[in-house]
Amino acid sequence: MLKQLFSRLFDNIVYIQIWGNRLKVVDVKSGNEFDQPPFIALEKNKKGQFVVKAVGAEAKALINNPQYEVTNPFAHPRQLIANFGYAEKILLHALQQVFKGNIFAPSPRAVIHPMQKTEGGLTEIEIRAFRELGLGAGAREVVIYLGPAQNKHDFNYAEIKARGL
């Protein structure tokens, strides 16, 4: 009984779909979602370090502003992750937006679903990169899923985990 209550309160599952031009993160339980172009805008601070100034559509709007370095870390001709560090920052931001307002910072279980560039399957390197991307953004468990798109209404984590990579 206590385990079920704890599970309902703290067991968050997120479904992450990644395209080269779109990132969609959905909290399966609440339905909250982040669905934006995966751009990140960075600005150099006084110490010469890059600081994140905007993510998503807000960052994309700054593309022509010379004050910012704007990039899409999922834009690469051969694979889905072009810049791991920036991709991790965008995913972390997306998770924070999806769980905004939660009392506790969740450490969700994540299903990462690459939506493009999966012809012939994924290499071990790509699987590891996606898994580490999710873990680095705060997930406690990551399943890499290839298959038809899922929806939050009939999302079955156990079934996806059994079929995942």
Side-chain angles (χ1 to χ4, degrees), residues 89-101 137:
K89 288 183 184 306
I90 289 175
L91 186 55
L92 176 62
H93 175 80
L95 289 172
Q96 289 170 344
Q97 292 301 306
V98 165
F99 292 116
K100 196 178 221 173

mmCIF file of all heavy atoms in Angstrom, residues 89-101 137:
data_model
loop_
_atom_site.group_PDB
_atom_site.id
_atom_site.type_symbol
_atom_site.label_atom_id
_atom_site.label_comp_id
_atom_site.label_asym_id
_atom_site.label_seq_id
_atom_site.Cartn_x
_atom_site.Cartn_y
_atom_site.Cartn_z
ATOM 1 N N LYS A 89 21.884 19.853 -22.435
ATOM 2 C CA LYS A 89 21.347 21.080 -21.827
ATOM 3 C C LYS A 89 19.906 21.344 -22.270
ATOM 4 O O LYS A 89 19.064 21.735 -21.470
ATOM 5 C CB LYS A 89 22.231 22.280 -22.170
ATOM 6 C CG LYS A 89 23.558 22.293 -21.449
ATOM 7 C CD LYS A 89 24.345 23.531 -21.766
ATOM 8 C CE LYS A 89 25.712 23.547 -21.150
ATOM 9 N NZ LYS A 89 25.787 23.335 -19.732
ATOM 10 N N ILE A 90 19.621 21.112 -23.552
ATOM 11 C CA ILE A 90 18.259 21.316 -24.047
ATOM 12 C C ILE A 90 17.305 20.309 -23.406
ATOM 13 O O ILE A 90 16.204 20.664 -22.985
ATOM 14 C CB ILE A 90 18.204 21.206 -25.586
ATOM 15 C CG1 ILE A 90 18.878 22.422 -26.215
ATOM 16 C CG2 ILE A 90 16.768 21.090 -26.074
ATOM 17 C CD1 ILE A 90 18.993 22.350 -27.721
ATOM 18 N N LEU A 91 17.727 19.059 -23.308
ATOM 19 C CA LEU A 91 16.861 18.039 -22.698
ATOM 20 C C LEU A 91 16.630 18.345 -21.222
ATOM 21 O O LEU A 91 15.506 18.201 -20.725
ATOM 22 C CB LEU A 91 17.460 16.647 -22.888
ATOM 23 C CG LEU A 91 16.592 15.490 -22.423
ATOM 24 C CD1 LEU A 91 15.212 15.516 -23.075
ATOM 25 C CD2 LEU A 91 17.281 14.163 -22.712
ATOM 26 N N LEU A 92 17.655 18.788 -20.522
ATOM 27 C CA LEU A 92 17.495 19.174 -19.118
ATOM 28 C C LEU A 92 16.483 20.310 -18.992
ATOM 29 O O LEU A 92 15.591 20.268 -18.136
ATOM 30 C CB LEU A 92 18.844 19.582 -18.521
ATOM 31 C CG LEU A 92 18.827 20.103 -17.096
ATOM 32 C CD1 LEU A 92 18.330 19.043 -16.127
ATOM 33 C CD2 LEU A 92 20.217 20.571 -16.688
ATOM 34 N N HIS A 93 16.591 21.303 -19.858
ATOM 35 C CA HIS A 93 15.640 22.419 -19.849
ATOM 36 C C HIS A 93 14.215 21.920 -20.115
ATOM 37 O O HIS A 93 13.270 22.333 -19.450
ATOM 38 C CB HIS A 93 16.044 23.459 -20.903
ATOM 39 C CG HIS A 93 15.068 24.567 -21.048
ATOM 40 N ND1 HIS A 93 15.019 25.641 -20.188
ATOM 41 C CD2 HIS A 93 14.063 24.762 -21.942
ATOM 42 C CE1 HIS A 93 14.039 26.452 -20.552
ATOM 43 N NE2 HIS A 93 13.445 25.936 -21.620
ATOM 44 N N ALA A 94 14.073 21.022 -21.096
ATOM 45 C CA ALA A 94 12.750 20.480 -21.429
ATOM 46 C C ALA A 94 12.152 19.739 -20.238
ATOM 47 O O ALA A 94 10.964 19.902 -19.938
ATOM 48 C CB ALA A 94 12.851 19.556 -22.639
ATOM 49 N N LEU A 95 12.961 18.945 -19.550
ATOM 50 C CA LEU A 95 12.463 18.221 -18.368
ATOM 51 C C LEU A 95 12.045 19.194 -17.276
ATOM 52 O O LEU A 95 11.023 18.991 -16.603
ATOM 53 C CB LEU A 95 13.517 17.251 -17.849
ATOM 54 C CG LEU A 95 13.768 16.021 -18.716
ATOM 55 C CD1 LEU A 95 14.966 15.234 -18.203
ATOM 56 C CD2 LEU A 95 12.543 15.139 -18.786
ATOM 57 N N GLN A 96 12.816 20.254 -17.085
ATOM 58 C CA GLN A 96 12.450 21.254 -16.078
ATOM 59 C C GLN A 96 11.121 21.916 -16.427
ATOM 60 O O GLN A 96 10.310 22.180 -15.539
ATOM 61 C CB GLN A 96 13.554 22.309 -15.954
ATOM 62 C CG GLN A 96 14.805 21.789 -15.297
ATOM 63 C CD GLN A 96 15.973 22.762 -15.392
ATOM 64 O OE1 GLN A 96 15.962 23.699 -16.188
ATOM 65 N NE2 GLN A 96 16.991 22.531 -14.585
ATOM 66 N N GLN A 97 10.885 22.173 -17.708
ATOM 67 C CA GLN A 97 9.627 22.786 -18.129
ATOM 68 C C GLN A 97 8.443 21.838 -17.926
ATOM 69 O O GLN A 97 7.373 22.253 -17.503
ATOM 70 C CB GLN A 97 9.704 23.207 -19.600
ATOM 71 C CG GLN A 97 10.672 24.346 -19.854
ATOM 72 C CD GLN A 97 10.314 25.588 -19.065
ATOM 73 O OE1 GLN A 97 9.206 26.081 -19.135
ATOM 74 N NE2 GLN A 97 11.271 26.082 -18.292
ATOM 75 N N VAL A 98 8.659 20.562 -18.229
ATOM 76 C CA VAL A 98 7.586 19.572 -18.095
ATOM 77 C C VAL A 98 7.195 19.382 -16.626
ATOM 78 O O VAL A 98 6.026 19.202 -16.311
ATOM 79 C CB VAL A 98 8.013 18.232 -18.743
ATOM 80 C CG1 VAL A 98 7.109 17.092 -18.332
ATOM 81 C CG2 VAL A 98 8.025 18.363 -20.250
ATOM 82 N N PHE A 99 8.173 19.445 -15.733
ATOM 83 C CA PHE A 99 7.903 19.219 -14.312
ATOM 84 C C PHE A 99 7.838 20.514 -13.515
ATOM 85 O O PHE A 99 7.894 20.490 -12.287
ATOM 86 C CB PHE A 99 8.952 18.284 -13.709
ATOM 87 C CG PHE A 99 8.859 16.883 -14.239
ATOM 88 C CD1 PHE A 99 9.903 16.332 -14.978
ATOM 89 C CD2 PHE A 99 7.730 16.121 -14.035
ATOM 90 C CE1 PHE A 99 9.816 15.052 -15.478
ATOM 91 C CE2 PHE A 99 7.631 14.832 -14.529
ATOM 92 C CZ PHE A 99 8.677 14.299 -15.264
ATOM 93 N N LYS A 100 7.689 21.641 -14.186
ATOM 94 C CA LYS A 100 7.593 22.932 -13.521
ATOM 95 C C LYS A 100 6.427 22.910 -12.536
ATOM 96 O O LYS A 100 5.343 22.452 -12.857
ATOM 97 C CB LYS A 100 7.365 24.023 -14.572
ATOM 98 C CG LYS A 100 7.616 25.403 -14.086
ATOM 99 C CD LYS A 100 7.416 26.381 -15.230
ATOM 100 C CE LYS A 100 8.499 27.414 -15.150
ATOM 101 N NZ LYS A 100 8.497 28.302 -16.295
ATOM 102 N N GLY A 101 6.653 23.390 -11.355
ATOM 103 C CA GLY A 101 5.594 23.432 -10.360
ATOM 104 C C GLY A 101 5.580 22.227 -9.428
ATOM 105 O O GLY A 101 4.847 22.215 -8.446
ATOM 106 N N ALA A 137 20.656 14.273 -18.244
ATOM 107 C CA ALA A 137 19.607 15.280 -18.071
ATOM 108 C C ALA A 137 18.780 15.036 -16.810
ATOM 109 O O ALA A 137 17.881 15.804 -16.511
ATOM 110 C CB ALA A 137 18.702 15.307 -19.294
#
